[in-house]
Amino acid sequence: MYPSVAHTLLDIDAVKLSPKEPFTWASGIKSPIYCDNRQILGDVKAHRKVIQLLIEELGKFEETDVIVGTATAGIPHATLIADRLAKPSAYVRGSKKAHGTARQIEGAAVKGKRVVSST
C-alpha cells in the first residue's frame, strides 16, 4: 500500500522539498519536506486510489464500528471511507468548541465503539 500512496502523492506534486527554507509544521517542527495530503482531494483519480488502498488496509484489522477523521485534513478521507463501507463517521477537533455543545468529537457516537481514525 505505502509505495502506491507515495507514488500517488509524488505524481500529484503533494510532496514539496525546500532544504534552504524549511517548512514549519503545525507542531512547530521545521522540516525541508512537506506533504500536503489535501492535494489528494483535488485529483479524483488520486483520491479514489488512496481511499481504495486505505479501505484495503482496514480489511486487515478487526471489524470497526465508526470511521473517524481528525480535523481538518482527515475529515474528507474518513467520510469517503465510511461511505464506501456503509459505516457511520465522526471527526475529532483539536480542542473542544468554546460554544454550543462544547464537543470535541462530532458526528457518530464513539464511546464504547471500535473506532479507526484517518488523519
Side-chain angles (χ1 to χ4, degrees):
M1 172 183 133
Y2 302 109
S4 293
V5 172
H7 286 123
T8 300
L9 291 167
L10 289 168
D11 289 345
I12 63 171
D13 294 324
V15 178
K16 307 291 183 198
L17 302 175
S18 183
K20 292 182 182 177
E21 294 183 38
F23 299 96
T24 303
W25 293 356
S27 64
I29 292 173
K30 301 276 187 189
S31 174
I33 302 169
Y34 182 74
C35 183
D36 187 354
N37 292 325
R38 291 167 207 78
Q39 295 298 311
I40 296 168
L41 301 173
D43 187 300
V44 175
K45 185 177 174 184
H47 93 244
R48 284 183 177 161
K49 180 177 182 179
V50 170
I51 295 303
Q52 184 57 43
L53 290 166
L54 290 169
I55 289 169
E56 289 170 14
E57 192 69 16
L58 282 175
K60 297 177 184 178
F61 298 97
E62 232 179 85
E63 180 70 20
T64 57
D65 299 316
V66 182
I67 308 297
V68 179
T70 55
T72 61
I75 295 171
H77 306 301
T79 303
L80 288 166
I81 291 167
D83 182 66
R84 296 237 181 106
L85 295 176
K87 302 273 183 186
S89 65
Y91 71 91
V92 180
R93 298 176 185 279
S95 59
K96 287 185 178 183
K97 289 189 333 183
H99 60 282
T101 59
R103 291 186 191 145
Q104 189 165 6
I105 301 173
E106 299 284 2
V110 297
K111 188 173 184 175
K113 304 273 176 84
R114 295 170 294 187
V115 173
V116 68
S117 176
S118 167
T119 58

